[in-house]
Amino acid sequence: APEGLLGDGLRQLRGELLVAETSQDKFALADEWLLLRHDRDKRPPQELMAFIAGLQAAPQSRLNSLLESYSATQKNLIDQFKRYVGLTPKYYQRILRLNKILQNIHQQETISWAQVAYACGYSDQSHFIKDFKHFSGFNPSEFIGRDLDKEGSNFFPLDRDS
């Protein structure tokens, strides 16, 4: 959960963002929050940045094949990833894949879920549905049935009633 990664400060920021009146105020709050947590001396190793760039470029790729390209051990990668990203590489990949799904279904007239699942690197539709529901709170059909795919290509309705 996000609270576990960033503590109560994230919950407090969320509360402040909800009461801020303008988008400009919201961005200023988020900017200030991030700047207070930024440490210029903590720069990730270049090989980690290259791994992240590869993962972002091809989130549907098999994680094992990407791990083989990393110069250090898998344990080192996971430790570095947690330190600098706050997540494991696998969890980050799941987020990237769901982003890709949202981009693929945004504003499409008809959707073949099997085709979307395959294009985003899922070997079976049940795993795809499980991930989709984990991040969105809806199964894919409910998501489309509520027209939530029309709201943006990188959007899950976190504050809506399910």
Side-chain angles (χ1 to χ4, degrees):
E3 294 84 12
L5 294 174
L6 300 170
D8 289 332
L10 184 59
R11 203 175 329 208
Q12 181 181 348
L13 172 63
R14 182 180 182 276
E16 292 173 11
L17 290 172
L18 289 172
V19 297
E21 292 187 20
T22 67
S23 294
Q24 185 177 4
D25 292 341
K26 292 176 193 243
F27 279 110
L29 284 167
D31 188 50
E32 179 184 341
W33 188 85
L34 289 168
L35 285 173
L36 285 172
R37 284 152 183 80
H38 178 69
D39 183 349
R40 292 184 191 278
D41 295 331
K42 290 186 179 177
R43 296 192 190 267
Q46 190 56 40
E47 68 236 5
L48 177 63
M49 294 304 296
F51 180 86
I52 291 170
L55 192 56
Q56 290 172 339
Q60 73 281 3
S61 299
R62 296 279 177 245
L63 193 56
N64 288 340
S65 64
L66 291 172
L67 289 171
E68 291 172 7
S69 69
Y70 190 68
S71 62
T73 66
Q74 183 175 344
K75 182 183 178 340
N76 177 268
L77 172 65
I78 292 169
D79 290 344
Q80 293 293 311
F81 217 90
K82 284 180 180 178
R83 179 176 179 201
Y84 291 103
V85 179
L87 306 167
T88 64
K90 185 174 184 172
Y91 199 84
Y92 185 66
Q93 181 190 35
R94 288 174 65 198
I95 292 169
L96 292 173
R97 284 170 38 170
L98 263 292
N99 252 350
K100 187 152 182 69
I101 289 166
L102 291 176
Q103 291 169 4
N104 284 350
I105 66 173
H106 183 63
Q107 302 294 335
Q108 282 189 12
E109 292 299 318
T110 57
I111 298 169
S112 164
W113 290 114
Q115 193 173 27
V116 170
Y118 178 76
C120 293
Y122 289 93
S123 56
D124 62 75
Q125 206 164 345
S126 65
H127 186 205
F128 159 75
I129 292 168
K130 180 182 167 192
D131 265 6
F132 195 97
K133 187 157 185 155
H134 172 80
F135 287 103
S136 73
F138 301 98
N139 72 40
S141 298
E142 289 173 322
F143 189 78
I144 297 299
R146 292 173 181 245
D147 284 335
L148 298 172
D149 59 311
K150 307 292 187 244
E151 300 213 23
S153 64
N154 189 10
F155 171 78
F156 279 134
L158 298 177
D159 289 337
R160 291 200 179 172
D161 294 330
S162 15

